[in-house]
Structure formats: C-alpha cells, structure tokens
Amino acid sequence: MEQATMASCAQALSSSSLSRSPGALLGSSRLTLCTRGVFSPVCVSMRKGFRGRSFCVIRASVTGQLNQFVQSAIKALKLLWMQTGGKEAETARLATNDGSAQSASPVSAKDESRVAGSQNGVAVATETTVSITVVGASGDLAKKKIFPALFALYYEGCLPKHFTVFGFARSKMNDESLREMISGTLTCRIDQRENCGDKQEEFLKRCFYHSGQYSSEESFGELSKKLHEHEGDRVANRLFYLSIPPDVFVDVARCSSLAASSANGWTRVIVEKPFGRDSESSAELTRGLKTYLNEDQIYRIDHYLGKELVENLSVLRFSNLVFEPLWSRQYIRNVQFIFSEDFGTEGRGGYFDNYGIIRDIMQNHLLQILALFAMEPPVSLDAEDIRNEKVKVLRSMRVLDTDNVVVGQYKGHTRGGVRYPAYIEDKTVPNNSITPTFAAAALFIDNARWDGVPFLMKAGKALHTKRAEIRVQFRHVPGSLYKRSFGADIDQATNELVIRVQPDEAIYLKINNKVPGLGMRLDRSNLNLHYADRYNREIPDAYERLLLDAIEGERRLFIRSDELDAAWALFTPLLKELEKRKVAPELYPYGSRGPVGAHYLAAKYNVRWGDNSSETSDSV
C-alpha cells in the first residue's frame, strides 16, 4: 500500500512540470524540469501520523525556479489526497536555501472553480489573506488580551501582508465604536517605539465590526459577505476566536461552519476554556463541535501553555545534558506546581462560583504544565508527537480522591487598617456558597520514571503573593559529609530548581556552598537566570504566541480532545464527591498563605511547600 502511494506521489511529480531522468529509482530519483533546470535527488517517502493517518513527504534541495517545484509538489499531494479519500489536504511547506520557509495550500476538488488564477486545479501565484473574527468582541478578554495581542503581532510584522480583523457580538456597535473601544488597550513593544501611533492607526483601519446573534446563521452569512468584500479574489483563510460563554460554543461553531467558512482556504476555530464542567459535559461539548468541525480545525486554547517559561520547559530539559539524567524518581524527591493570586473575585464571583478553583486553574493550567514536565522525550517536536506523550502521562496518573485534596475559601480580614472582604461578601456570590477559592492536591504518576514521586499542586485566590512557579526538590545527598553543618533543617540541604512562570520570569537552582572565611559554614545560594537582566527585551504575551501558532497551523500548544478526556477523567470523580458530600472548605484569612490543611497534606508525604520558605535567597 505504501509503495503504491509513494508511486502516486512520484508519478504526479513527473507528470506535471517535472520529468524523471532515465534509470531513476522510486524514493531516490533525479527529476529534471522541462525547462532543463536540475534539482538534486528528490526523496518520496511515507510517514505514519496520529491514528494511522499516512503522509506523503517529498524532499528536495531546490536551487532555482522554486514556484514550479512548489506547484508540482502540491499537485502530487492533491492527487494522493483524492486517491486515498482524505478529508483535508495539508499545506505543503518547502525550505529554501536561505533557511526561510515558503508554503502554499493545495486546492480540493470542490474548490477548484473558486480559486482565481488556478491551473489544472492548482493555485498559481494567488495571494492569500487571513480574516480573524473575534466572536464576543465586546467582552473583557477580547478588549484586554485578544485585540492587543493581534496588534502586537501586526506591529512586529508577524501577520500576513493581507489581513482583516472583525469583531462580532450581540452589542449594537459600528466600526468606529469598536476602534474607539480597543484603541486604549493597544501598546507598542518597549524596544520598538518607532512610529507607534502610525502603526496603531494602520491597524485600526483594518478592524471592523458586525453585530449579530450567536445562534443565527443569517448573522454569520452577513458577516461572511463582509469578509469576502475585504478578501477579494485572494485565497481566503478564516480564523474564529470564540471569546464567549461555553453554552454558545456549539451554536457559533454551527453557524460559522455552515454560513461563514472559507470557500477556498482553511477555516479554524479557537475555543477558550472552560471545556465543560466534568467528563460528561466536556464529551458533550466535543461531540457538538465535531458535528460541524474536524478535530484539526479546533484549537482549544490554554493561555498558560503560551507562557515563555512553560514553552522553555522542554528546552531546559531536552537540550541540557545536566538535567535530563536527573529527571526521574531516582533524583527528584517531589515536584510542586504553585499558582497564587493576591486578590479575590472583586465583584466578578458570578462566573467563578459556578466553577471554583479546581476547574478554573488546576484541571487545565497546572495539569497541562505537569504533563509537559513529566512526559517522556517525544519522537520529534511535531505537534502530534508531543501531545501523544502528554496523553500517556495523563493516562498513567492515579485518579484523585478526597484523602489527597484540601479545599479552602478566603474569609474577611483587616490588615494595616484596611478591611478585605470575604468571598461570600462578594455581591455576585451566594451567601451560603461553599465553592473553593483554594485547593491543594497530591498526585501520582504510576510509571517507571515517576513511581512514588508526589506531584503537589496548590492554587488559590486572596493569598499573600501573586506567583506561578514550578519547584523541583531533589533528594538529599546520600551519606553527606556535611550533614552536621545543616543542623536539624534537612530541607536546607536539598537542591531545588525553581522555574518562575510569572511574574518576573526566572530560572534558578539552589545549591549549597561554603561561606568565605576560616570556618566551615555552609550556605545555600542561587545560580540564577533572571530574564529581565539577561534579555533586554519584553517577553511576548502568551496570547500573541498562541494566536500566531493558530494562524500558522502549529498545534503543539493547543489541547487535543483525548488530552481533554484524560484530564477530566482524573478530576471528575473528586469533583462529584465534593459536591455530593457538600464538603465545607477550610477558611483562611484574606492575604494569608492559605489553609493549614495544605501544610498537613504536604507533611503527609514528608514535603514542605517551597513558597513558604522565609529565605531571602528566594528573591531573585
């Protein structure tokens, strides 16, 4: 079967604008342009992808007339797609001699007549455009994150030459209203202030608004007409960002798919969390989305995966020989994932009370980081290879139970003459609410690498500080010659790797060393990579990276449906048990370190929370 498929690829190449030289062999043939331009050997091979999907890979070093080779390769992929009954043809990507990448989209049979400048079903010299529609454009997320991220990408030259941004919502606004609303949120990079005002004006001219109902195909049909006016005869790629409540996700997916999909390019949909409340509602949401969209059209976004330090996690581990050999139960005593905010719900408790801290933070942000941290080395950096390893980790984890979880809720507290209200004093929260604003959990991965290592999670609101970090505490040195120098504090003798995700990004390693002097006094110091000191540039916002990845079709930082299923399978039994038993959360003062129960949970596994250290060396 694979030989036949490779033959189809090679035949398509040779029958278009290239011809095979006499005596050439399949899989390593020399192809010659009809115009007598010569290419180095072209290799046609097959790759097995996720769920057994086959890919035809055509490789060659191109020395000239790149466009002809691109179109020939596209025709080969198109022929393969038609012969094998595939649903979607992937974009062909070719690396040029200078290291840059060029891409062109194959054209499906049903779209051939709609592409301007097509020849034999292959798009020739046709410009592309990207239309980005922010559904829920009048909401806080769109105003504070999505539109500023799009402008930052435009300012840095990361968006295509031709692009249009549309806001879609039920609010009655026009183009000027939208531009006025978002203009105050646009900022320029601190290291590129030139022509900032001019760039903002140029960007705002490309922003438009359409008012409509989320469940109305007619509204999306009218939107599609407006998009087409700006797209013209170009190949139109469309990206929809669903910044809306989850109960209308499926309605928007239906309407956008049926009435506003691209006729000759790709259509992708970014879906914001929450992805359901439990396994059942998540599965129902996935089924609803997949009724109108393919899995590879759905981009489930978790903005924490776009954080600079989270993306650097695999680089730190897999490109530094000093870390990978230590990344196992043999050397690591415990791993901590800590998320804390120094403010409460502040009048926005209506949404939060319906979900709680476990669903809002632990089941997605922290669990995704844990999967990246603990996964086995992937075969490659391909999105499917990375996500396959993450799923293996999630499926190897023990299901959580109430014995390994502590929940809390902040109460009112007066500090420095200032009164801080309790969670239930928020007017948007019911007076008798037992929704947790704090949770700590001990998780375990039952595989050869991590057997017996506690992975501790802690997340909460109204705590003493704002931070998100990963703390890796290593085992004690066996038979240490200097154990007497540390006294009773055995944790002081523990090496610790800290990856501070936010704020003030940093990576530092705590080591033990001798204090200068005649005596033998030991001290713990930091080997420090402080990003603000090392790199004289602003770190991009997570939404910038994820939006750019969605536009480019890069999926490794987005969540696949089986990842989502595995994540909910871990937490759903716990959530149901807490709700069934109506477990009352332990109260803790606003601005404290959280409930005392969290310390007992850590002590149960002979662990001390790293963020409770009073050492001044923790500050970088």
Side-chain angles (χ1 to χ4, degrees):
M1 178 63 183
E2 290 187 357
Q3 287 288 331
T5 309
M6 287 194 292
S8 299
C9 289
Q11 181 182 1
L13 276 169
S14 59
S15 64
S16 54
S17 61
L18 302 175
S19 61
R20 195 183 309 186
S21 298
L25 298 175
L26 178 65
S28 182
S29 58
R30 177 171 289 278
L31 303 179
T32 307
L33 272 173
C34 296
T35 55
R36 300 184 184 277
V38 179
F39 291 85
S40 62
V42 173
C43 181
V44 180
S45 61
M46 291 295 298
R47 285 185 58 191
K48 282 290 186 182
F50 176 60
R51 292 179 179 169
R53 292 176 61 187
S54 296
F55 297 88
C56 180
V57 181
I58 305 169
R59 300 180 182 276
S61 298
V62 183
T63 57
Q65 295 181 319
L66 174 64
N67 187 60
Q68 294 186 51
F69 181 78
V70 169
Q71 304 310 328
S72 300
I74 292 171
K75 186 172 182 180
L77 293 173
K78 174 177 175 289
L79 178 62
L80 172 64
W81 167 65
M82 294 173 65
Q83 290 179 344
T84 57
K87 292 184 179 180
E88 182 173 343
E90 299 291 340
T91 298
R93 294 186 180 273
L94 298 172
T96 61
N97 290 336
D98 62 1
S100 61
Q102 296 199 15
S103 63
S105 296
V107 184
S108 65
K110 68 179 181 180
D111 293 333
E112 289 178 11
S113 62
R114 304 190 185 193
V115 180
S118 65
Q119 182 178 357
N120 298 324
V122 178
V124 179
T126 302
E127 289 184 309
T128 63
T129 183
V130 174
S131 298
I132 305 165
T133 301
V134 181
V135 183
S138 58
D140 281 347
L141 178 63
K143 289 184 287 187
K144 295 178 180 179
K145 290 292 185 181
I146 302 173
F147 287 115
L150 289 171
F151 171 68
L153 292 175
Y154 171 69
Y155 188 63
E156 294 179 355
C158 296
L159 292 182
K161 178 181 177 181
H162 299 286
F163 76 92
T164 306
V165 177
F166 257 84
F168 181 96
R170 292 173 294 199
S171 303
K172 297 297 182 181
M173 294 195 298
N174 55 28
D175 297 346
E176 289 304 318
S177 302
L178 175 72
R179 292 165 184 167
E180 182 179 354
M181 180 187 75
I182 66 177
S183 61
T185 66
L186 307 183
T187 58
C188 298
R189 287 276 178 242
I190 58 174
D191 56 346
Q192 297 180 13
R193 294 178 182 268
E194 300 85 359
N195 303 321
C196 181
D198 294 339
K199 285 288 188 180
Q200 289 184 3
E201 287 299 319
E202 293 170 9
F203 176 77
L204 291 173
K205 288 179 181 178
R206 298 190 184 212
C207 296
F208 304 91
Y209 185 79
H210 182 74
S211 176
Q213 298 300 312
Y214 296 142
S215 59
S216 169
E217 288 185 39
E218 182 181 356
S219 294
F220 278 87
E222 294 169 354
L223 170 67
S224 183
K225 292 179 182 178
K226 290 185 178 181
L227 293 176
H228 184 68
E229 291 175 3
H230 294 278
E231 293 163 347
D233 293 330
R234 305 179 183 93
V235 174
N237 299 314
R238 294 183 177 180
L239 176 66
F240 293 87
Y241 194 121
L242 307 194
S243 177
I244 50 178
D247 57 344
V248 290
F249 281 169
V250 176
D251 285 339
V252 172
R254 171 178 57 83
C255 295
S256 61
S257 176
L258 298 178
S261 287
S262 172
N264 57 8
W266 50 255
T267 300
R268 296 169 184 154
V269 178
I270 297 178
V271 182
E272 267 281 354
K273 75 175 185 71
F275 312 116
R277 287 178 45 83
D278 49 31
S279 292
E280 291 78 12
S281 58
S282 175
E284 182 181 356
L285 176 59
T286 296
R287 285 193 299 270
L289 292 174
K290 286 188 175 182
T291 302
Y292 307 101
L293 301 166
N294 295 326
E295 173 66 27
D296 53 8
Q297 290 181 282
I298 305 170
Y299 287 67
R300 299 174 188 85
I301 190 171
D302 184 333
H303 73 274
Y304 255 72
L305 294 182
K307 298 282 187 181
E308 185 70 33
L309 270 294
V310 174
E311 189 164 17
N312 194 36
L313 188 59
S314 59
V315 177
L316 181 73
R317 176 181 171 188
F318 297 126
S319 69
N320 293 286
L321 182 61
V322 68
F323 289 120
E324 176 57 21
L326 306 179
W327 224 258
S328 71
R329 64 187 179 89
Q330 185 175 356
Y331 295 103
I332 292 178
R333 186 159 61 106
N334 69 84
V335 185
Q336 302 175 21
F337 302 88
I338 299 171
F339 175 95
S340 63
E341 293 178 334
D342 57 359
F343 53 89
T345 52
E346 316 296 342
R348 297 185 297 273
Y351 162 82
F352 182 85
D353 197 69
N354 192 40
Y355 289 93
I357 198 72
I358 297 177
R359 292 183 176 95
D360 193 42
I361 302 296
M362 296 182 75
Q363 183 272 339
N364 40 70
H365 297 333
L366 296 188
L367 190 61
Q368 283 292 317
I369 297 174
L370 185 154
L372 277 174
F373 177 94
M375 71 180 184
E376 294 296 316
V379 174
S380 73
L381 293 178
D382 180 76
E384 298 307 321
D385 290 335
I386 292 175
R387 297 194 293 183
N388 287 344
E389 296 303 330
K390 287 169 61 183
V391 171
K392 290 178 185 177
V393 171
L394 296 175
R395 288 177 176 171
S396 299
M397 297 179 68
R398 297 180 202 170
V399 176
L400 270 171
D401 56 44
T402 53
D403 291 337
N404 282 315
V405 174
V406 172
V407 293
Q409 186 185 96
Y410 66 87
K411 62 181 180 180
H413 181 61
T414 301
R415 185 177 58 197
V418 179
R419 164 71 181 172
Y420 295 93
Y423 173 69
I424 57 174
E425 293 177 21
D426 188 324
K427 293 181 180 179
T428 61
V429 173
N431 292 332
N432 59 349
S433 173
I434 57 172
T435 298
T437 61
F438 176 98
L443 301 96
F444 293 88
I445 303 173
D446 292 330
N447 64 17
R449 183 183 290 269
W450 298 113
D451 186 34
V453 176
F455 286 78
L456 300 180
M457 281 187 186
K458 183 169 67 171
K461 289 182 172 293
L463 296 173
H464 69 294
T465 187
K466 178 182 179 180
R467 73 171 74 193
E469 61 187 16
I470 307 166
R471 287 179 171 263
V472 185
Q473 294 185 350
F474 293 91
R475 296 192 181 278
H476 303 135
V477 177
S480 174
L481 299 174
Y482 298 99
K483 58 183 178 182
R484 293 184 179 179
S485 302
F486 292 106
D489 188 1
I490 60 173
D491 286 318
Q492 189 178 354
T494 301
N495 298 126
E496 186 175 27
L497 175 66
V498 181
I499 302 171
R500 185 185 298 156
V501 178
Q502 69 174 29
D504 200 22
E505 294 84 351
I507 301 173
Y508 56 99
L509 177 65
K510 295 183 178 183
I511 64 166
N512 302 310
N513 63 287
K514 178 183 176 297
V515 176
L518 298 177
M520 180 56 69
R521 188 164 65 90
L522 302 189
D523 185 25
R524 189 153 75 156
S525 302
N526 293 338
L527 297 179
N528 169 33
L529 170 58
H530 188 212
Y531 272 55
D533 295 336
R534 175 65 179 85
Y535 302 107
N536 186 27
R537 60 176 302 172
E538 184 178 339
I539 295 176
D541 184 78
Y543 282 92
E544 297 172 33
R545 175 175 287 108
L546 294 170
L547 278 166
L548 183 60
D549 281 354
I551 292 170
E552 294 181 344
E554 173 56 66
R555 302 173 55 82
R556 63 190 174 87
L557 296 180
F558 295 89
I559 302 170
R560 205 168 61 191
S561 60
D562 55 346
E563 282 185 75
L564 193 59
D565 294 342
W568 275 119
L570 291 172
F571 281 90
T572 295
L574 168 70
L575 291 166
K576 288 186 175 181
E577 185 69 13
L578 291 174
E579 291 168 359
K580 179 182 178 181
R581 292 168 48 187
K582 296 183 178 180
V583 175
E586 181 181 345
L587 299 180
Y588 62 95
Y590 192 119
S592 68
R593 295 180 181 272
V596 176
H599 303 282
Y600 287 115
L601 176 65
K604 177 179 177 181
Y605 297 103
N606 196 27
V607 174
R608 181 183 300 176
W609 291 106
D611 64 329
N612 290 336
S613 171
S614 59
E615 297 177 18
T616 57
S617 59
D618 243 21
S619 60
V620 178

